[in-house]
Amino acid sequence: MADKRTTTQAPASGAPRPLAIDEGHILRAQRGDRIATAVLTGIACFVMLIVVSMVAYILYEGLSTLLTPGFLTLPSRSNGAAGGVAYQLFDSFYLLVITLLISVPVSLGAAVFLTEYAPDGPITAIASTAIETLSSLPSIVVGMFGFLVFSVNFGWKYSIISGAVALTMFNIPILVRVIQQALEDVPQHQRDACLAMGLTRWEATVHVLIPAAMPAIVTGVVLSAGRVFGEAAALLFTSGMSSPVRLNFLTFNFSSPTCAWNIFRPGESLAVHIYKIYGEGSPEAQHIVWGTAALLMICVLLFNVLSRLAGKALAKRMTAE
């Protein structure tokens, strides 16, 4: 059947002729829009179903072990097949803090230079290429490089600092790109207003641009922190697969191998702990694996939520909005 077209009465002489309305085309467009919306909604629901199913299954398998008294407060025994994960939990957060302390200032400075100071030319192109190359390196390659350079050549052996510096190597490119994009998204009129008021470029960057970009910067830090917290491949070669049998949290003798704050002692993260004991055939070891996996997932989720709330509060305070 031919498409219905609605037209108006012919206009008077000299008046513009109105356009014909193709009702069939409108109906086809509406039908296509409904189909596309249904398809995209189905894809989103399917992805959410996968995520929820994975989270639910991990919690179902590991929550009973996680809630076992002493699992979070006792050290592991029998090569990880028994006991708790107190030291692994502490080492994961310790590695995360040291990595962020190194990578965040370096990434922020690099992003500010590339966005506000570096002229368009070979330097910017080379820096951008290097950042993209580093961000695409497999973590196990970074771990092997960190082992040869930091653990062997620098003499740090298997240590917390070797793992933190190795994690920093592929954490910096992610942060630089995110912070750079956040600074570029700040409207140009804010920069022009700062310069018109007599502020230097540095003052405008510190007091206006960075506070305005703070929510996006915190989001980038959160994403990189989640990757650091769940990383295993790079840490296998750098921080090691074991923690001291006993850690002393009350001493600050940084040369002692049992000092918890000693960055030159070996450390074992939660992800490495899962990898190490996964091959154990005993049912007790499998329970430890699922409990550790549930703990790792909950820590990442809580860290993301709390960091986003803190980032919004910090941005509100710095921008006075």
Side-chain angles (χ1 to χ4, degrees), residues 4-316:
K4 296 181 179 180
R5 299 178 182 270
T6 303
T7 58
T8 58
Q9 189 176 4
S13 176
R17 184 181 182 87
L19 297 176
I21 300 175
D22 190 345
E23 294 182 355
H25 176 73
I26 295 176
L27 292 176
R28 288 194 300 270
Q30 292 176 346
R31 189 184 306 114
D33 180 73
R34 288 192 296 268
I35 294 174
T37 302
V39 171
L40 295 177
T41 303
I43 293 175
C45 293
F46 179 70
V47 173
M48 289 298 299
L49 179 63
I50 293 176
V51 174
V52 172
S53 300
M54 180 180 64
V55 172
Y57 184 76
I58 293 176
L59 291 178
Y60 173 77
E61 292 288 343
L63 201 57
S64 59
T65 303
L66 179 60
L67 297 178
T68 301
F71 185 75
L72 299 178
T73 58
L74 296 177
S76 60
R77 304 189 310 271
S78 302
N79 199 26
V85 292
Y87 293 168
Q88 288 77 16
L89 180 62
F90 172 78
D91 287 344
S92 296
F93 278 104
Y94 198 31
L95 279 165
L96 174 63
V97 171
I98 296 176
T99 302
L100 293 181
L101 288 177
I102 299 173
S103 59
V104 170
V106 175
S107 303
L108 182 60
V112 169
F113 173 76
L114 292 175
T115 306
E116 302 298 328
Y117 292 92
D120 294 333
I123 296 179
T124 306
I126 293 174
S128 300
T129 303
I131 291 172
E132 294 174 359
T133 303
L134 284 175
S135 62
S136 61
L137 286 178
S139 59
I140 193 168
V141 175
V142 176
M144 294 176 63
F145 176 82
F147 172 75
L148 294 175
V149 175
F150 307 122
S151 299
V152 177
N153 292 337
F154 284 15
W156 295 347
K157 301 179 181 180
Y158 290 114
S159 60
I160 295 288
I161 187 63
S162 295
V165 176
L167 293 176
T168 300
M169 293 181 60
F170 60 77
N171 194 33
I172 285 179
I174 299 176
L175 285 179
V176 170
R177 296 299 297 174
V178 171
I179 298 175
Q180 187 177 1
Q181 185 63 47
L183 293 174
E184 291 175 352
D185 290 341
V186 177
Q188 181 62 34
H189 65 79
Q190 294 193 18
R191 295 177 173 84
D192 298 338
C194 293
L195 297 178
M197 294 174 61
L199 298 178
T200 63
R201 183 176 296 182
W202 174 251
E203 291 174 336
T205 301
V206 172
H207 298 291
V208 177
L209 300 184
I210 292 180
M214 186 57 64
I217 292 176
V218 172
T219 300
V221 173
V222 168
L223 293 176
S224 64
R227 180 179 182 182
V228 169
F229 198 84
E231 181 57 43
L235 298 179
L236 292 174
F237 296 93
T238 52
S239 64
M241 299 176 61
S242 63
S243 294
V245 178
R246 177 179 176 273
L247 287 179
N248 189 349
F249 295 91
L250 301 179
T251 182
F252 293 94
N253 181 13
F254 296 106
S255 62
S256 173
T258 60
C259 176
W261 315 103
N262 182 10
I263 61 176
F264 293 101
R265 66 168 178 85
E268 182 184 13
S269 67
L270 290 173
V272 173
H273 189 63
I274 294 173
Y275 173 82
K276 184 181 74 172
I277 64 177
Y278 180 76
E280 296 287 340
S282 62
E284 293 79 8
Q286 299 303 314
H287 289 316
I288 297 293
V289 168
W290 285 112
T292 308
L295 175 62
L296 180 62
M297 183 185 65
I298 292 174
C299 286
V300 172
L301 292 177
L302 289 178
F303 183 79
N304 277 267
V305 172
L306 295 177
S307 298
R308 291 179 186 275
L309 295 177
K312 292 180 179 180
L314 181 62
K316 182 178 180 180

